[in-house]
Every structure is written in C-alpha cells, then in structure tokens.
Amino acid sequence: MHFLRYLSSAFVAGLAAQTAALSIPGKPGLKVKPYKREVLQHIVTWDQHSIFVHGERVLFYSGEYHPFRLPVPGLWLDVFQKIRSLGYTGVSIYTDWALLEGKPGEFLAEGIFDLQPFFDAAKQAGIYILARPGPYINAEVSGGGFPGWLQRVPGVLRSLDPGYIAATELYVKSIGEIIAKNQITNDGPVILFQPENELYSCSDDIDPCPNPEYFQYVEDQFRNASIVVPYIVNDNNEGNFAPGQPVSVDIYGIDSYPLGFDCANPETWPENALQTDLTETHLNYSALTPFSFIEFQGGSFDPWGGWGFQQCLELVGYEFERVFYQVLIPRDDEH
Ligand SMILES: *[C@@H]1O[C@H](CO)[C@@H](O)[C@H](O)[C@H]1NC(C)=O
Ligand SMILES: *[C@@H]1O[C@H](CO)[C@@H](O)[C@H](O)[C@H]1NC(C)=O
C-alpha cells in the first residue's frame, strides 16, 4: 500500500531549542555520514533541531503545491503569496516526468510547463522550495509520473535494469539542471532536494527492497546535474537511507498517513492510529538531523466514483488535526 498524497508536507523541527546539550538515545555507535554537503555548499546547514539558511534557523513549514496541477503561470505568484501569508515558509513540489517527456527523447519544459516563472514567483513571495522530481513521484497522478511509453521499455522499473535507467537519463538530467539553476546557491528558492520518492514499497521483482544501489544511482544522477543542496528522504519510518546507512541522504524524513483514506466511513478512526513513538524512532534513526516529516496527512484523496471530498474532510478535518498534529512536535521529556 503506498498511496501518495498531495496535501501536506511538514518539515518540523525541534521547538525546544534552548537549553543544554542533548543526550542522544538510540543505536550505540550510530555513525553519521560526514557532512560532505558542506564542501558543496555552505548556505543550507542543519543541526539536530532544524535547518539553517545563511546561519539563521528556519522552521521549514510547508504544504504541497505542484505547478502542473495549476498550469496557469499568471496565478503562481498570487498562490505563493497566499501560502506565505498563512505563515508557511516553504512549499514542496513534485514535477511530472510524463508531462515533460511525452515522447521519448524529447524533453520540453515550455509554455505552461516552463518551471522558471514558478521558481521566480516562489522567490518573489519569500517561499523556500523542497524539490521532489522523482523520477517516480506517485502523487496520485497517472503512472506515478512515469510516461506511458515506459510500458514499452523492457526493464524492471525503479531498478538498475539498463533499459529503465537509460529511459530516465534525459528527464533526470534536464529537470535536475533546471532545479539546480534555481538552488539558493544560484540565488534561487530551492533549499532541499529529494531523490526518488517513497522507495520502500516495491514490486516482487525488486530484491532487496528498497534497493540501495538504485537509490545511490539516482542520487548520483542528480548530483551530476549539479544539485548541491541537502538531500532528504521520504520514508515509511523504517530508517531506510537514514544518515549512517551505507547509502544515505543528509536528512531523514518520515511519510505518514495515520488515518488512511476511508472516506466512506469518516467517523471511524482506525484503531491505534495515533503513533506516540515517533520522536523515539526519529532519535533512533537520525538523532543528529531535524525531526522531519516530508508528508504527514493533510487530507485524503478521493478516487473516481468515490465518496466526495466533503466526506474526506470529515475524516481528516479539524478534529483529526487537533489530535494528530501534536505528535509532530518533539516532546521535551524525550530530549
Ligand atoms: C556521474 O558523473 C561521473 C563523472 O562523470 C560518472 O563517472 C558517473 O557515471 C555519473 N553517474 C551517474 C549516475 O550518472
Ligand atoms: C529505539 O532503540 C532502542 C534501543 O535499540 C529500542 O529498544 C527501542 O525499541 C527503539 N524504539 C523504537 C520506537 O523503535
């Protein structure tokens, strides 16, 4: 089960930043990968509480907003300004490979698909961007962003199969370079980057799952396209690719939809859905990076012929938010 969702992405950092040194529970001997990113750029950094931009603590508080879902460039600034006015500091974006390379070998980011005005609008509104270009995005889009023509390419998807890898190269290079140009190191709004997406559920022909060699390859592809801002991962809270793993990102993050998507029964909350050990698992997996949620249920999708968003709103509306969003705040007694 891996529904990808689009409403909420909150990168929540420690709020109790004052006081003395942390004791760090968890795996003894946890090795944190040397912060190699510091040699690539020095503008975006982090400690165990939050990220910093230019040395200033930033609570990256974000929603999802995808350029291809509102293909009206003239509205982008207005929407970003409204997001900023609500108090958000960031926006997490997906880009959709299928829309940008409709024909194999022809990458086209023009007109309504031109991302430059989108990045410019974010910058003008004072919104930081977490870029999540895939190549697989899920995101409740057809094929998870995979172009239809990929069906005719022999090779296991999301593996090192040469057919699949070759098919990804043009998109990854092209979108990677567009995003790279808009990193904060180039005076743009992009401060974080997610290679791949939710690489924790796999088809039967992927072994091991998730496949670290494949993940490393995607990291390298984007690095080669000049991405230098910190890498994050959107994981199902199992520690995949956390700092200290042989293949890892810089900042570990969790993907969680505790109430699920059963809009048919909006008054029924699944039993034991309120997970109270999230701070502890975070400290176990990645004590020296900020407590991060790359996605935390901001709504529910409704499929064709579904129950309607009004019922979904009852399922994951304000009552859900009051109860569940509190688990996103690290508890003092665990520090
Ligand atoms: C990245 O670039 C290096 C140097 O050109 C090259 O050896 C490597 O194969 C590239 N990796 C990927 C995944 O493209
Ligand atoms: C965290 O790690 C400790 C020590 O290995 C373990 O006992 C505990 O169950 C872990 N907590 C969670 C929530 O996984």
Side-chain angles (χ1 to χ4, degrees), residues 217 220-221 224:
Y217 191 90
D220 292 345
Q221 278 179 307
N224 282 359

Side-chain angles (χ1 to χ4, degrees), residues 42-55:
H42 59 275
I43 298 176
V44 187
T45 55
W46 64 91
D47 65 8
Q48 65 271 53
H49 299 299
S50 80
I51 52 172
F52 295 79
V53 177
H54 288 298

Side-chain angles (χ1 to χ4, degrees), residues 65 74-88 91 121-127:
Y65 175 42
L75 291 176
W76 289 340
L77 178 61
D78 181 58
V79 173
F80 276 127
Q81 286 172 335
K82 285 172 174 147
I83 293 171
R84 186 72 191 96
S85 310
L86 285 167
Y88 291 95
V91 152
K123 187 184 168 193
Q124 192 180 334
I127 285 284

Side-chain angles (χ1 to χ4, degrees), residues 292-331:
S292 312
F293 287 82
I294 313 308
E295 297 181 34
F296 191 89
Q297 190 139 27
S300 171
F301 66 85
D302 193 44
W304 295 116
W307 296 88
F309 281 119
Q310 189 55 41
Q311 281 200 212
C312 296
L313 181 62
E314 284 165 35
L315 177 71
V316 286
Y318 66 92
E319 289 164 326
F320 159 76
E321 290 172 6
R322 272 180 64 93
V323 173
F324 280 79
Y325 285 1
Q326 297 191 24
V327 301
L328 301 181
I329 300 171
R331 285 162 40 206

Side-chain angles (χ1 to χ4, degrees), residues 150-188:
L150 200 54
Q151 301 260 18
R152 299 191 295 273
V153 174
V156 177
L157 303 174
R158 304 173 91 191
S159 79
L160 283 181
D161 218 314
Y164 168 73
I165 288 292
T168 67
E169 300 281 13
L170 177 66
Y171 168 72
V172 170
K173 179 173 191 297
S174 310
I175 197 71
E177 285 173 358
I178 290 171
I179 294 167
K181 259 196 333 204
N182 286 282
Q183 294 175 110
I184 196 161
T185 49
N186 295 324
D187 210 21

